[in-house]
Each structure stands twice: as structure tokens, then as C-alpha cells.
Amino acid sequence: MEAKRKQIRDKFRNLKSEAEAKGMKADEIKQTLIAAGDQSAPSKQSALECISGKIVSLLRLDSKPALKVRQSLRKHLLKVFLVVGVVSAVGGYFFKETLIEALGIREERCVLNNNNFVMEVARPILNCNMCAGVTRIPIETDMTSEVFIRKFAYSGIPVLIKGAIANWTAMGTFSFQFFKKLYTETEGALDAVENECQFFPYKTDFDTLGDMFNMSEARANFSEGEKTWYVGWSNCDSTVGKILREHYQRPFFLPQDSESSMLDWIFMGGTGQGAFVHLDFVERPSWQAQISGKKSWRIIPVPECETVCTEMNVTVHKGDIFVFDSNLWYHSTKVEPGEISITIGSEYD
């Protein structure tokens, strides 16, 4: 800095000496020096560049100004969160009923809804020994309760059981029209599904089971030019459940002392993608009977078992039952060409 000042002083002395040598008057020498001083001053552009540099320095995450800003923000945010938390707690305590009514919480089944990401993160780590060495889904034709209990019931290994529902009247009864008539003519049945159970529209434009039953006859029959569809739902209506059980029975191979869920799961639709890849979060293993059509399953190990277990595929035909624990395997389905695919299933313990 001192060298720069010396350079400027020397410049002005030289200019003054040259002006005096030329015989310039005092006022003329003064104007000459002022003009020289203006040229030596920083330009407006340089000043802007200087300001910009300071701003950039402030915005740099690793700069000292930025660190100070972040530290200050953190302190203020902590204060804000603390205040909001205290106010929320006090407000919730003294104005609970008012808040419940204002937010409509009383009408909601859950204040916070689970999602697949949260449930996946929260699920326990699986012991992969259950599927070590299993490279294909076993197919059984002469299943007995003893064999099922010993090899499949609680082992986590999927199994396809051929011809397991040959005596069920459901194979000649269940259809789109059957379910439509049953649910639309049973008082409260559609409301029970919507309010107490679950409806899976998958890739369709249906919002409820009632919407699905209101589709055109052409679409219901998969007429050419119509959108295909595939849906699933669980039944919570006792009257409907009683009628369904008139046409199917508890699978004969299930352990005699096991209790089956009173919840029926029904999946129905046409050729193409069925359920997308997912993991269920239900309480027990499940079985699914193919009432009509045929459907292929893709079974995928959970991430921690990818190096031990193998992805497997199987096609379930009319009259077969597929048994697996949907809590342990990611899975997806695809309806194969042909007649409509209709399945019914439940859980067992």
C-alpha cells in the first residue's frame, strides 16, 4: 500500500514540474492535477465489481460471512421452533375441541397417513435364510395339510397349489355382473368398502368401487376401443361376506388350528398390468385363489436379501391357489390374455 502511495506522489510531482517548466499559471496547474487525480480514481465499474465480490463472498457456503449468517439463522430458527412448539402445545391443550372441529379431524380415520416409504423404512430387517437356495416357486399337485405345515405354512417360501378349488361353486358364479349386483343391491355394502376397507384403482380412473361398477357395459366386457381396467378391494360388509362364503371354502390344506381372517380380498380385471411392484404390510401370510382367467406373479426379494434370495416368477391358472407371505416379498402381477381374471383370497395365522 505504501509503495502505491509513493508512486502516486511521484506522479503528481512530475506533473507539477512539467507544468511549471511549460510556464503554466497556478490555476492551470491545479486543473491539470485535478484531471490527473480523476483518472487515477477507481472507476464506477470497479466499485460495482468490488460490491459484487463482497456479495459473492457472503453467499459462498464456506466463507466466514456465510458461516456467521447460517449460525445466526440457526439460532433464530431454534427460537421460532421452540415458540411454535410451546404455542401449539398450549393451544392444543386449551382449544383441543375447537381445533378438532376446525380441521375436520373427527371425520378422518387417521390424523397422519402412512405411506410406503415410511413403512419400508420402519419395517424390521428380514432373516434371509428363509429363501436361501430357493430358485423357483414350488408347484404342488397333491398337497396335504401335513406337508403344507412342514414346508410352507410359516416358512416364508411361496407355493403354487394346483387344482385346489375344484369343488368351489365360485368358479361358475363369480363375475363382474355378480359382484355388481351383490354390492349395489346390498344396503351399505359400497359404503363399507369406502369407509372401513380399501379400494385399489391401480391405473384406472375409478375413485371408488361404486365408480367401477358404474362403468359402461362395453368397458366392463373389454370391448375393442375401450380402456382396460384392473382393480382390487377388501370386503367389510358381513352380508356380502356371508354370500361370498357360500361359493368358496377355507382351503383344505391350511392348519386345522389356524384362524382365517374374516376379510376377503378380491382382485379383478383384464389383460395387462395388474398390481405394481409393492410390499404389503398386513399381519399374516395370505392365500389367493384364481377363480377365472390366469395371472402371472413376479416375486422379488427385499433389498437386504438380494444377494441371498432369487427373483422368481409363476403363472397361476384357473382352479389354482397361490400362497405366500406378501410382507416378506415384493411382488407384482400381470393378467395374461384370455378371460377376465378374478381372484379371491384372505390371510391365515
Side-chain angles (χ1 to χ4, degrees):
M1 181 65 70
E2 185 60 34
K4 181 69 173 177
R5 288 174 182 168
K6 184 177 182 301
Q7 182 181 1
I8 294 173
R9 285 198 300 269
D10 291 342
K11 179 179 180 180
F12 276 86
R13 287 196 188 100
N14 294 333
L15 285 172
K16 185 178 179 181
S17 298
E18 290 176 3
E20 290 174 344
K22 292 179 180 178
M24 296 177 66
K25 295 179 181 180
D27 289 342
E28 293 176 331
I29 294 174
K30 183 178 178 181
Q31 293 299 324
T32 300
L33 294 177
I34 291 173
D38 289 341
Q39 292 175 0
S40 299
S43 66
K44 291 183 179 180
Q45 180 64 30
S46 298
L48 289 173
E49 288 175 352
C50 180
I51 295 172
S52 300
K54 290 181 179 179
I55 294 174
V56 170
S57 175
L58 180 63
L59 294 177
R60 283 182 55 208
L61 294 178
D62 58 346
S63 67
K64 289 183 178 180
L67 290 174
K68 290 181 180 179
V69 170
R70 293 209 306 276
Q71 289 171 356
S72 177
L73 284 174
R74 187 180 294 114
K75 290 178 181 178
H76 289 303
L77 285 174
L78 287 174
K79 291 178 182 178
V80 170
F81 289 147
L82 180 61
V83 172
V84 170
V86 171
V87 171
S88 299
V90 173
Y93 181 81
F94 288 103
F95 305 103
K96 180 177 69 174
E97 291 300 322
T98 303
L99 289 171
I100 288 174
E101 294 300 329
L103 298 175
I105 293 175
R106 236 184 264 285
E107 287 73 33
E108 296 293 332
R109 295 176 63 188
C110 302
V111 176
L112 293 176
N113 290 319
N114 276 331
N115 58 59
N116 286 338
F117 174 77
V118 172
M119 298 178 79
E120 166 62 24
V121 170
R123 71 173 177 82
I125 298 297
L126 185 65
N127 182 347
C128 304
N129 290 334
M130 64 138 191
C131 51
V134 180
T135 58
R136 65 177 184 83
I137 295 175
I139 299 176
E140 301 286 336
T141 54
D142 297 312
M143 179 61 71
T144 64
S145 181
E146 292 75 15
V147 171
F148 181 75
I149 293 172
R150 187 176 72 254
K151 296 175 63 177
F152 305 110
Y154 310 108
S155 66
I157 300 175
V159 60
L160 173 62
I161 303 170
K162 302 291 292 181
I165 61 173
N167 61 337
W168 290 9
T169 58
M171 288 197 292
T173 306
F174 288 179
S175 66
F176 173 84
Q177 292 301 329
F178 168 83
F179 288 114
K180 179 177 181 178
K181 180 179 175 65
L182 178 60
Y183 275 92
T184 56
E185 295 184 1
T186 301
E187 184 178 356
L190 289 173
D191 290 337
V193 173
E194 184 171 352
N195 298 324
E196 301 171 37
C197 274
Q198 289 179 286
F199 174 71
F200 300 112
Y202 296 115
K203 293 184 177 181
T204 68
D205 51 358
F206 307 128
D207 292 325
T208 65
L209 185 61
D211 288 343
M212 190 271 289
F213 286 135
N214 283 331
M215 79 171 86
S216 68
E217 184 177 350
R219 188 177 182 186
N221 293 327
F222 307 103
S223 298
E224 186 176 353
E226 295 289 336
K227 291 182 180 179
T228 188
W229 54 273
Y230 180 87
V231 299
W233 72 93
S234 52
N235 175 64
C236 292
D237 185 86
S238 58
T239 301
V240 170
K242 183 178 179 180
I243 294 173
L244 292 177
R245 283 173 170 75
E246 292 176 357
H247 298 286
Y248 84 86
Q249 295 80 45
R250 181 176 180 273
F252 65 88
F253 51 79
L254 292 181
Q256 293 299 318
D257 58 349
S258 73
E259 294 185 6
S260 294
S261 169
M262 294 302 293
L263 202 67
D264 299 301
W265 290 92
I266 301 158
F267 296 90
M268 179 168 61
T271 304
Q273 179 68 48
F276 49 82
V277 176
H278 67 287
L279 193 68
D280 290 336
F281 297 93
V282 294
E283 296 181 358
R284 299 173 281 189
S286 59
W287 57 268
Q288 192 174 121
Q290 192 74 35
I291 304 300
S292 69
K294 55 183 178 179
K295 186 164 65 176
S296 293
W297 291 73
R298 180 188 178 198
I299 308 297
I300 307 168
V302 292
E304 63 265 31
C305 296
E306 289 179 347
T307 59
V308 178
C309 308
T310 305
E311 179 180 324
M312 298 179 286
N313 298 273
V314 69
T315 298
V316 184
H317 293 257
K318 181 176 181 178
D320 301 342
I321 291 182
F322 184 50
V323 184
F324 81 118
D325 194 331
S326 59
N327 303 288
L328 307 181
W329 297 86
Y330 278 94
H331 52 285
S332 65
T333 60
K334 177 185 175 183
V335 177
E336 301 295 341
E339 64 178 340
I340 184 175
S341 172
I342 299 176
T343 65
I344 191 166
S346 190
E347 303 165 30
Y348 68 91
D349 62 12

